[in-house]
Amino acid sequence: ALKVDFRIAPFKTGTWKKFSNHDKPAHNQVNQIEADAAGLLWFATLDGVWSFDGNEFLDRTKEADILSGPVNAMLPGADGTMWFGMSSSVVRYDGGKFVRFTTADGLADNRVNALLPDRDGAAWFATDFGISQYDGKKFTSLARSNGVPDKFVYAIHRSADGAIWFGTYGAGVTRFDGKISVNFTKAEGLADDRVRKIFGGPDGVVWFGTWGGGVSRYDGTNFTTLSQKDGLAHNSVNAFHRDEGGVMWFGTEGGVSRYDGKTFVNFTTADGLAHNRVRAIHRDANGTLWFGTDGGLSRYDERTTGKAVVAPQSARANTEAKAKPKTASPPKPSENATSRASTRPLELKPTWKAGARYVYRVDITQTVQFRFPGMPRAMKQEFEMGQVYALSPGKERDGGGRELEMKFLEHELSAREGNNVFVDFDSKMGDAPTREPNPLAVPLRNLTGARMMCLLSADYKLEKIADYTGFVEKLSAGAPDEGRQIFSQVYSEDLFQQIADGGRRFLPEARSIGESWSSRPELTMWLSGIIAVEAGHTFKGWEQRDERKCLAYQFAGPITTTSLRSPILPSMDLDDGKVAAKIWFDPELGAIVESQIDEVLFTRMDSSGQASPGQVQQRITIKLVDLRKADE
């Protein structure tokens, strides 16, 4: 018998009102909405902070310049304080003054992505370089040895059982009970390893909003995923809200979804939403819902019936009859804007010492995964490369700068897919047996002991490699044509330049400790090509590294490159990706002691007309292992 299932969507009642930058707040992108202890609503935007007392919007950025720029997160305290997570610091407001904290005060990184309250006014901070805790007096950072993530932490939440959850970009989520850490990824049922937001209700259920995978619901035992297939407006989820009846609201890249446990009802710009990319949801004391979007604010009263309206022109400038804010007038900016960053600029200037021999070791690990249609499991390839090399400054160049000789002392290379080993070479032991002959055997053997000449600019940063083509031809003499071609692709000129440079080209000029700035550097991703990064930089300050007193500098940000055209790997389109790098510089030596670069890319590759999702992860570590006279 024919079975017919009639489903009627709930009626969309309610009245919408939009506020754009013409009406205030000043920037259309609203990242978070919070209420303070006095009942004021606060709005974190892409350029500053605003508050609303029910009648009037107030630009709080005018009170303190340190609030200008992107504000990623806010945290109201029970004592009336308010924390602001910026892209260049974290700021605390106590009702009278604004105080700025940076890495100079112990913060793990100046880019703060999420905040969490703790007991007695303490707070947790999720950053691009790990997690910090503030006890009211000082900052401490959780060590990686605790099992907590130390890169790309974008969400933080305390669940009903007291455990703290950390959401990351690329490494899933970690549950930390104060002693033991447990990591959950797609392998355990999480919708995606890129987690944007975490939310928990009084029932103990924890929700995870992801990039592209939808929403995951964790009941303490199992994960359940809700996606567009189930009715969710979009699979990228940025915000959560749970009402008194247990109904969940999700802010997505494609609108707002209301979920009662069985049925989704979606709201978009067609219904009155200011923009379909929704970043924040908040219900005020009157029961009205506020949505922060990329097109401004939307206010929704679901208890009424009516059409969407836009704030009238008169509301944009009319302040004569507005009520006064509920907090006292703040002091002047000169009195309330306090910065704790060091004001004395320091230089990170490389100074190659003639007659010295700097011995470094570089290690590169790369994992490439793709899931092709019809395959039961993802294809996973692993590549590793290690080199020990010596850098010896030579004679000065006309017009400034020096020659820099790079001599290769040891070398390892391996490539495998599961149990299938393609290449396994170690210069200390020779070429290990593989299923197929190693076409790289000849140039790899010739690389040990080989010398390459690099040319330094007047500021002692690497400018270029002299006669790279001749260097490769000399190493490849006697190798099969396939070996010559693969060697020049695996060991490109860009890769050798990045290894020899060791991060010196990223070193800033004179900067103050705690200072932040932005740039768009390019990096060589081994086997994959050149990637561009929208990087936020921080001069972190003094740190001990291998018993040396070093100045630490770091940067992180999203990858802006949209495609990779690798000579080794298949061509890939990039959905998104992140880079985080840290460099330790010893000013007494005038040399970099260590540099680390972590990269994670989420890609798509065309396979028989279908898009195959993939992921590429890479870490490069370059470390000074010895320093002696050139003739020793």
Side-chain angles (χ1 to χ4, degrees), residues 523-538:
L523 301 171
T524 299
M525 194 161 187
W526 185 44
L527 307 177
S528 301
I530 304 294
I531 57 174
V533 183
E534 191 75 35
H537 304 255
T538 300

Side-chain angles (χ1 to χ4, degrees), residues 338-470:
T338 303
S339 173
R340 298 195 173 195
S342 168
T343 57
R344 184 172 65 88
L346 299 172
E347 282 192 325
L348 282 74
K349 186 176 181 180
T351 54
W352 293 100
K353 298 178 180 179
R357 185 173 184 256
Y358 302 80
V359 180
Y360 284 90
R361 178 176 176 89
V362 58
D363 288 284
I364 305 177
T365 59
Q366 185 178 107
T367 303
V368 181
Q369 296 186 75
F370 277 98
R371 184 173 293 278
F372 296 102
M375 291 182 63
R377 61 178 62 89
M379 179 203 77
K380 182 178 181 180
Q381 294 181 339
E382 298 172 285
F383 304 89
E384 295 183 4
M385 190 266 279
Q387 283 184 350
V388 178
Y389 57 95
L391 298 174
S392 302
K395 64 181 181 181
E396 293 188 1
R397 298 172 60 198
D398 294 339
R402 279 187 181 275
E403 293 181 348
L404 182 70
E405 182 190 78
M406 184 177 186
K407 181 179 180 180
F408 299 92
L409 306 177
E410 297 175 5
H411 190 76
E412 304 110 44
L413 177 68
S414 69
R416 59 175 51 86
E417 181 180 338
N419 295 325
N420 187 12
V421 179
F422 305 114
V423 177
D424 189 5
F425 180 87
D426 186 334
S427 62
K428 299 185 294 296
M429 302 177 64
D431 195 14
T434 57
R435 192 175 69 177
E436 300 291 339
N438 179 9
L440 295 174
V442 171
L444 287 177
R445 284 196 294 267
N446 291 339
L447 182 61
T448 305
R451 301 170 189 263
M452 172 188 288
M453 187 60 68
C454 305
L455 304 179
L456 301 177
S457 61
D459 58 357
Y460 282 178
K461 295 182 181 180
L462 193 139
E463 189 175 273
K464 65 178 182 178
I465 294 173
D467 192 18
Y468 166 77
T469 302

Side-chain angles (χ1 to χ4, degrees), residues 494-517:
D494 290 328
L495 177 67
F496 277 129
Q497 283 195 33
Q498 185 160 307
I499 292 173
D501 178 81
R504 293 169 190 83
R505 64 193 175 101
F506 301 127
L507 293 177
E509 297 177 356
R511 297 280 183 175
S512 299
I513 292 175
E515 187 176 352
S516 295
W517 65 99

